[in-house]
């Protein structure tokens, strides 16, 4: 599959994935899922970058859009990162920072963004070859962190995240030109089938659903608490669920789920007594640096969509 070169100037770029228009539009994916090594032929059949993912698992990622690792980090590492999460969410200074998102009902901390910049422990996790090595292997190049955050989903009422494609927002509001980003969610608590776990529609990453409606100015202030702009219609979600099905991810603390930037995914509320806390890292190729937003008045803040494209080392 031939890809369009990345352009960094508004006057030269081509919008491969139109969205936020008067109606929903479905566009076939124009980019590889597993990218060839930089400098290759630009086809998904070209040799992939060496890394810890087996050829069979790369094939599964290509087909389904996700990959699970049962134990990415061990129990001692889980305890270290869980303690750091607790320290951050209980710090009044962190809570008052704009990088913290507060639950509307409980007033508990829901998410803390840019954790790799405010915590050396999470920065070390980003640089860990078990983590960044898989990102380089999938994306076929050096990578930088487009976004990082801890998601805290305490029991007894923490709200979920409605169905969405991350790339739809990153394209529309952050200006990522191509589908050359991958996310990893690392469980710091047990992920049960009852405490608001991640759900993905397998294979949904192969087509792009452009959503209807304009992007309000400073939309991020609302969307980080409850998604509105960039939300698929019930009809489109029903069609996709009928076609692809829905997979619910469970796993012990230390397990991880990697998923393509265009997977349709979401999670439900957590009304159980058992918290679900994860660290979430988005890696983007350095060859897919953000340009001006494709469907928003201005880029989102740096702590949500990075404009520093320095490779992870």
């Amino acid at each position: 599959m031939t890809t369009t070169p990345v352009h960094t100037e508004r006057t030269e770029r081509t919008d491969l994935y139109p969205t936020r228009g008067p109606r929903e539009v479905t566009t076939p994916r124009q980019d590889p899922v597993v990218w060839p090594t930089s400098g290759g032929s630009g086809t998904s059949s070209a040799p992939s970058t060496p890394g810890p993912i087996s050829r069979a698992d790369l094939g599964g990622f290509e087909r389904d859009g996700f990959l699970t690792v049962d134990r990415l980090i061990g129990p001692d590492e889980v305890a270290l990162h869980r303690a750091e999460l607790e320290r951050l969410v209980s710090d009044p200074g962190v809570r008052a920072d704009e990088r913290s998102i507060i639950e509307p009902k409980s007033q508990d901390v829901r998410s803390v963004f840019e954790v790799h910049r405010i915590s050396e422990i999470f920065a070390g996790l980003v640089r860990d070859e078990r983590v960044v090595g898989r990102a380089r292997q999938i994306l076929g190049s050096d990578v930088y962190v487009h976004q990082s955050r801890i998601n805290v989903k305490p029991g007894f009422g923490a709200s979920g995240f409605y169905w969405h494609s991350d790339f739809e927002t990153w394209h529309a509001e952050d200006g990522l030109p191509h589908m050359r980003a991958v996310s990893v969610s690392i469980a710091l608590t047990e992920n049960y089938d009852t405490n608001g776990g991640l759900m993905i529609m397998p294979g949904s990453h192969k087509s792009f659903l452009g959503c209807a409606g304009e992007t309000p100015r400073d939309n991020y202030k609302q969307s980080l608490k409850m998604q509105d702009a960039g939300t698929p219609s019930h009809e489109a979600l029903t069609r996709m669920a009928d076609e692809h099905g829905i997979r619910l991810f469970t796993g012990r603390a230390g397990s991880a789920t990697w998923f393509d930037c265009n997977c349709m995914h979401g999670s439900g509320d957590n009304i159980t007594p058992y918290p679900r806390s994860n660290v979430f890292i988005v890696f983007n190729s350095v060859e897919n640096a953000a340009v001006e937003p494709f469907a928003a008045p201005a880029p989102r803040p740096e702590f949500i969509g990075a404009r520093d494209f320095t490779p992870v080392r």
Side-chain angles (χ1 to χ4, degrees), residues 208-227:
F208 175 75
L209 181 65
C211 297
E214 294 185 359
T215 308
R217 183 169 291 277
D218 293 336
N219 178 55
Y220 73 95
K221 294 179 179 178
Q222 170 63 25
S223 66
L224 296 179
K225 298 177 182 179
M226 183 173 294
Q227 187 86 357

Side-chain angles (χ1 to χ4, degrees), residues 20-303:
R20 311 282 174 100
R23 60 185 180 276
E24 285 184 324
V25 179
T26 300
T27 303
R29 187 184 183 111
Q30 305 297 303
D31 296 307
V33 178
V34 177
W35 285 72
T37 302
S38 296
S41 67
T43 65
S44 59
S45 61
S48 62
T49 303
I53 308 175
S54 69
R55 181 178 294 272
D57 284 343
L58 277 177
F61 186 89
E62 168 85 29
R63 179 189 67 246
D64 298 326
F66 57 80
L67 167 68
T68 59
V69 178
D70 182 55
R71 179 172 285 187
L72 183 70
I73 60 176
D76 290 345
E77 295 169 296
V78 169
L80 173 68
H81 291 90
R82 176 72 183 276
E84 181 69 351
L85 179 149
E86 298 293 347
R87 183 188 72 80
L88 290 172
V89 300
S90 62
D91 184 331
V94 172
R95 179 187 175 89
D97 193 285
E98 66 174 346
R99 289 174 286 197
S100 293
I101 309 303
I102 308 301
E103 280 278 357
K105 293 181 180 179
S106 68
Q107 293 299 296
D108 292 331
V109 174
R110 174 191 180 110
S111 302
V112 180
F113 281 80
E114 218 171 34
V115 289
H116 71 294
R117 293 194 181 276
I118 63 177
S119 165
E120 183 53 40
I121 289 175
F122 284 113
L125 185 63
V126 165
R127 296 190 298 265
D128 191 310
E129 195 60 28
R130 293 170 296 179
V131 178
V132 70
R134 284 178 167 86
R136 293 191 190 107
Q137 189 176 4
I138 291 169
L139 301 180
S141 70
D142 279 334
V143 297
Y144 71 93
V145 176
H146 177 70
Q147 184 187 106
S148 72
R149 67 179 187 263
I150 47 176
N151 286 335
V152 185
K153 213 170 192 182
F156 300 116
S159 54
F161 294 84
Y162 195 68
W163 290 104
H164 63 286
S165 155
D166 287 328
F167 180 75
E168 194 280 335
T169 296
W170 299 340
H171 182 69
E173 301 186 37
D174 297 339
L176 296 195
H178 291 271
M179 294 179 181
R180 200 171 181 180
V182 64
S183 302
V184 60
S185 176
I186 304 170
L188 300 182
T189 57
E190 186 88 7
N191 281 219
Y192 301 105
D193 59 2
T194 53
N195 65 342
L198 174 69
M199 296 182 288
I200 293 178
M201 297 184 187
S204 59
H205 62 305
K206 294 296 184 71
S207 61
F208 175 75
L209 181 65
C211 297
E214 294 185 359
T215 308
R217 183 169 291 277
D218 293 336
N219 178 55
Y220 73 95
K221 294 179 179 178
Q222 170 63 25
S223 66
L224 296 179
K225 298 177 182 179
M226 183 173 294
Q227 187 86 357
D228 187 12
T231 301
S233 69
H234 290 178
E235 292 78 13
L237 289 171
T238 301
R239 287 196 308 272
M240 296 179 75
D242 286 346
E243 178 180 357
H244 301 294
I246 297 173
R247 169 80 178 271
L248 171 65
F249 293 87
T250 60
R252 58 186 170 178
S255 63
T257 303
W258 294 83
F259 56 102
D260 179 82
C261 60
N262 190 46
C263 283
M264 189 62 67
H265 67 287
S267 65
D269 296 349
N270 181 16
I271 61 172
T272 75
Y274 310 113
R276 176 182 172 265
S277 297
N278 297 54
V279 55
F280 183 84
I281 306 162
V282 180
F283 293 101
N284 188 38
S285 169
V286 295
E287 300 174 10
N288 190 40
V291 295
E292 288 298 305
F294 286 85
R300 298 190 300 174
E302 174 85 14
F303 70 87

